Amino acid sequence: MSDVLPQYIGGERVAAPPADQSLNPSNTADVVARVPRGGAAEVEAAVAAARAAFPAWSEASPEVRADVLDRAGDLILQRREQIGRLLSREEGKTLPEGIGETVRAGRIFKYFAGEALRRHGQNLDSVRPGVEIQTYRQAVGVFGLITPWNFPIAIPAWKTAPALAFGNTVVLKPAGPTPATAAAMAEILWEAGAPPGVFNMIFGPGSMGAKLVEHPGVDGISFTGSQSVGAGVAEAAVRRQARVQLEMGGKNPLVVLDDADLDRAVMVALDGSFYATGQRCTASSRIIVTDAIHDRFVAALAQKVAALRVGDALDPQTQMGPAVSEAQMQVSYDYIDIARAEGGRIVTGGGRLELPNPGWYVQPTLIADTAKDMRINCEEVFGPVASTVRVRDYDEALAVANDGDFGLSAGIVTTSLKYARDFQRRAKAGMVMVNLPTAGVDYHVPFGGTKKSSYGAREQGFAAVEFYTQTKTAYSWA
Ligand code: NAD
């Protein structure tokens, strides 16, 4: 039986009796972690600790902040195997994917260690002679960070690192299914020397996240999760004029044109739709294929999908792990049934998957002959389920790709420079991929979407300074 994980409040590891647990989705007999369930008192204590720590941290030399973040990055990278294994055991992505995500988290901390030293302002001449103007970027205060389970260390890292780099303090509420992975990051920040109260982490259900959003001592909220929850978070934050940033779902299109290299198109679709069990907000779940390549593409992709080795995330033979939870597994099965009932043709998968381990396995499923308005093409599944839509030509492909409520990532596979450039300009998405999977992004550049996928300033890389600082304009005459 696992130990009970502590919460991190005011520089203390706070112990409490367990109330919730995370299970290994590859083998549900394995309890990964037991955690206490915080409530109003923990939110109160964590926000108070973060507020108390803010003046000293925001006024500290940027070198102090850079050193803490750099040490945290080094420790994460040193423990990539150990944390990656824990992540795969708790979330269900394969071990290479778990280690890859851990390395990314380490790199993010090291990138923002540099950014702490690069926060800059401007000097401008005033329109009034003798007057000078300076702009400063200053820390905002306390940030509440609310994260999902599908990138259980990378997303906490890409919110925590910029918040701390620019002098803010933090209360993190990680997702219920993956507390142990978030705790590994919390422990490392503690070891890296984050002063008491600068970083706090509390466990609890969605209602605890709501308390954080409503707390008057929290100056800003960065939320990643589902669209339905995000809309309520924004409403509550805006009501009290807190700054807010949301990263939410996707229904990301991948366009395959007649002139595409077939092998490349299949590789791009396989990776984008099925790797990480399709549990990526940037997963390609709608594959829009022009007529002349359609049948060859669907046949070739189906062959690869059927050959995917699904199994225990920690087994080196496994290419696709389980869904994170029973509920998430059920969502995939529900949407397969819905698509079938709406007239979709199951080309491969679609059935239950029983393996020797008791786990939440889903057969990777490809559904062809779907129409653009079917629910399978409008609603996020967040599982290893992709559908294809047959279109006449590029113009129709672009129109279908731009349909719908979401606009996170969009991809095209083509050898035509003309169509590639046109798609880059006209796809209604925050990120556009040419001959690359819709999922898989770098950590030093902006991340985010359009329409209902995102709200507020972009996350990550050099864009993060917008959300985690506020600008002051100073005038002087001497
Ligand atoms: P979720 O919305 O159920 O939960 C996200 C977080 O919000 C969790 O920590 C949860 O406890 C908390 N929460 C729940 N109710 C709340 C409330 N009323 N107030 C405040 N917080 C609350 O999402 P999930 O199932 O954990 O994650 C899957 C979703 O995340 C998918 O929709 C996926 O597309 C999205 N996602 C988006 C991105 C992105 O960057 N765009 C990245 C990863 C995942």
Side-chain angles (χ1 to χ4, degrees):
M1 182 56 83
S2 58
D3 292 337
V4 183
L5 295 175
Q7 303 184 84
Y8 291 79
I9 301 176
E12 304 285 334
R13 295 190 188 100
V14 180
D20 297 306
Q21 57 185 19
S22 65
L23 300 180
N24 176 348
S26 302
N27 179 357
T28 54
D30 175 26
V31 176
V32 179
R34 293 183 302 146
V35 293
R37 186 182 304 165
E42 283 71 17
V43 171
E44 230 21 86
V47 173
R51 287 230 75 83
F54 176 70
W57 181 248
S58 58
E59 284 165 25
S61 156
E63 210 169 51
V64 170
R65 298 197 292 268
D67 283 350
V68 169
L69 296 176
D70 198 46
R71 277 195 295 272
D74 280 340
L75 287 168
I76 292 173
L77 292 174
Q78 278 162 24
R79 294 180 201 163
R80 64 182 72 183
E81 295 283 336
Q82 179 195 334
I83 298 174
R85 180 166 286 276
L86 173 67
L87 194 167
S88 294
R89 184 172 153 228
E90 190 171 56
E91 197 271 352
K93 60 183 71 172
T94 64
L95 187 55
E97 289 169 338
I99 293 172
E101 184 185 331
T102 305
V103 168
R104 179 189 171 105
R107 296 275 175 219
I108 287 169
F109 273 101
K110 292 181 79 68
Y111 173 86
F112 281 106
E115 285 292 273
L117 296 161
R118 282 191 288 268
R119 186 175 61 169
H120 55 261
Q122 290 176 311
N123 273 319
L124 296 106
D125 290 332
S126 167
V127 295
R128 289 169 282 170
V131 174
E132 281 191 6
I133 302 174
Q134 285 173 294
T135 66
Y136 299 86
R137 284 195 175 274
Q138 294 188 314
V140 177
V142 175
F143 277 92
L145 310 179
I146 301 175
T147 55
W149 45 262
N150 68 324
F151 283 93
I153 191 162
I155 295 180
W158 83 50
K159 295 183 190 299
T160 300
L164 299 189
F166 301 130
N168 307 286
T169 57
V170 155
V171 179
L172 169 67
K173 193 213 90 60
T178 50
T181 311
M185 187 188 93
E187 184 65 24
I188 278 177
L189 275 163
W190 195 77
E191 278 181 50
V198 162
F199 173 83
N200 307 276
M201 189 185 72
I202 50 182
F203 295 123
S207 56
M208 181 202 235
K211 287 190 171 62
L212 197 54
V213 175
E214 283 156 16
H215 199 294
V218 176
D219 301 285
I221 297 288
S222 182
F223 167 89
T224 300
S226 58
Q227 210 279 324
S228 53
V229 174
V233 166
E235 217 176 297
V238 168
R239 203 179 301 130
R240 62 174 190 84
Q241 296 184 340
R243 43 174 79 194
V244 61
Q245 168 187 64
L246 312 173
E247 288 298 343
M248 299 168 291
K251 192 71 206 173
N252 309 290
L254 174 70
V255 169
V256 178
L257 295 186
D258 292 349
D259 62 32
D261 176 289
L262 184 65
D263 291 342
R264 182 88 201 164
V266 168
M267 185 281 281
V268 164
L270 188 75
D271 176 327
S273 302
F274 297 99
Y275 287 9
T277 320
Q279 297 177 143
R280 294 187 285 188
C281 51
T282 46
S284 346
S285 48
R286 296 185 291 151
I287 311 178
I288 300 159
V289 193
T290 47
D291 213 21
I293 197 172
H294 178 277
D295 294 353
R296 279 183 296 138
F297 170 77
V298 169
L301 178 59
Q303 204 178 24
K304 292 282 185 199
V305 174
L308 280 174
R309 288 189 299 273
V310 181
D312 189 316
L314 295 176
D315 180 339
Q317 298 303 314
T318 294
Q319 292 174 303
M320 197 189 94
V324 74
S325 64
E326 188 171 10
Q328 206 60 44
M329 175 183 75
Q330 193 54 46
V331 170
S332 287
Y333 285 127
D334 289 349
Y335 273 102
I336 292 167
D337 289 345
I338 290 167
R340 201 187 265 122
E342 286 182 312
R345 175 170 60 91
I346 311 291
V347 187
T348 182
R352 308 273 148 169
L353 190 58
E354 298 296 337
L355 295 176
N357 283 352
W360 294 309
Y361 297 102
V362 178
Q363 272 190 347
T365 299
L366 183 65
I367 308 170
D369 303 336
T370 66
K372 71 180 178 68
D373 296 327
M374 287 181 180
R375 284 183 63 192
I376 190 70
N377 288 320
C378 299
E379 298 168 21
E380 186 180 49
V381 179
F382 223 55
V385 181
S387 48
T388 60
V389 181
R390 186 195 289 262
V391 290
R392 264 186 328 276
D393 54 18
Y394 171 73
D395 288 336
E396 189 184 355
L398 179 67
V400 173
N402 282 342
D403 230 36
D405 289 342
F406 296 109
L408 190 56
S409 182
I412 189 166
V413 189
T414 180
T415 51
S416 156
L417 181 61
K418 177 180 145 199
Y419 290 134
R421 294 299 300 274
D422 190 74
F423 191 77
Q424 279 186 342
R425 277 192 298 268
R426 292 169 67 203
K428 290 182 184 154
M431 294 169 292
V432 186
M433 311 291 182
V434 175
N435 296 323
L436 289 167
T438 54
V441 295
D442 283 12
Y443 58 83
H444 63 303
V445 291
F447 177 95
T450 63
K451 298 195 257 180
K452 288 192 174 163
S453 289
S454 298
Y455 179 78
R458 287 280 183 265
E459 290 203 88
Q460 300 200 55
F462 55 82
V465 73
E466 291 297 332
F467 186 67
Y468 291 106
T469 64
Q470 56 196 346
T471 299
K472 178 179 280 177
T473 311
Y475 295 80
S476 61
W477 180 84

